[in-house]
Amino acid sequence: MTFLGLAARNLLRNKVRTVLTVMGVAISVVTFLLLRTAVAAWTASADFAAKDRLVTRHKVTFVMTLPKRYIDTLRVEGPALGVKSATFANWFGGKDPNHDTEFFATLAVDSKSYFEVVPEVLVPKDQLQAYMDDRTGAVVGDVLAQKLGWTVGQKVTLESGIYPSDPDKPWTFTVRAIYTSRSKNVDRSTFLFHWDYLNDNIPQTRRDEIGWIISHVDDPSRTAAIALSVDKLFDEKDIQTLSQDEHAFNQSFLAGFSAVLTAFDIISVVILAIMMLVLGNTIAMGVRERTNEIATMRAIGFLPKHIALFVLGEAAVLGLVGGLVGLALAYPIIERGLGRFVQENLGNILPFFDIPPLMTVVSLALAVGLALIASIFPAIKAARLPITDGLRRLA
């Protein structure tokens, strides 16, 4: 029998303690994966942002608008700067009075160009054409449609605090298409509609204003240089701009939550420390209880390195089993349970809540690695135990 096999069999001598330790490691793994999944989901919009897109906004703040003529200027002079195509959008701030507590993004977009510049938004061709033909049409994310029970052809009335409607003429839309996406940088809980419909139904003083411009560049390696060229184009205008690649733009929104993300990172480290302490305590107790056996093994010819390997092997098996049990619990709890709830109720913030594949490998490696680290001191102590002292000790 190998040392690893002997270590595995030895763990069964105290089944209650082994089971409790395995469950402790498993719970730590589940908690660790939950925290890392939350961080990954929160930062997905930045991590998976397109490398060949720019976002141009008002230089002072995102909430201030730009003149619509800026997009016309960019479309004319942009190709010489490296801009292949451009579109724009406005934040509408809509809310369904029938679902007053539900928040979702509502954007007025330039429908003729938006789906070309943002191809990750997948809309069936027949539904897209129906949307294009309907001035009051809307394209809705599949997660939002499922959550609020909207179907194609349904009338939806929204209220907006940014663009109040006339009581006799509310903001009424017809859901003409439901979009999906396989990309993790796309919010599948967004409500899109024609910017022209918005522009034609607001006061004259507020017309011909856009929120931000989205540009598709011809060379991703030159995105930063193109951004500077775009801003320089408007330097002499009455309103200056700030252009960023999509990753930087999305990252700016995450800046306000940096403290939360840092807290998640700290808690992840604490969870790992607790797991190591649990494993270390179990291994130390097992070594102390088997002092006589270890001394006997030394007396019949086992070397100190054999004793150390025996202890390390026991720890490795314990960490491996605990890690595997944790992974077995994590997928139904996080992805099938909590993940579905998050995607259905917080899809506008966390459109994807799946365990990153790399984290499954990392968590298992950490469970085994920390078990080995936690067993180093007990292994050294057992290897250095004098044979005569071990044989005298009763427990």
Side-chain angles (χ1 to χ4, degrees), residues 325-361:
V325 172
L327 290 180
L329 294 174
Y331 276 89
I333 292 174
I334 297 175
E335 287 205 358
R336 300 297 180 184
L338 184 61
R340 286 189 176 182
F341 174 82
V342 169
Q343 290 177 8
E344 291 175 0
N345 295 276
L346 297 173
N348 56 296
I349 302 174
L350 304 174
F352 290 88
F353 202 84
D354 303 325
I355 298 175
L358 178 61
M359 281 297 106
T360 61
V361 179

Side-chain angles (χ1 to χ4, degrees), residues 214-226:
I214 308 171
S215 306
H216 187 196
V217 303
D218 58 7
D219 185 358
S221 65
R222 295 183 56 245
T223 302
I226 295 173

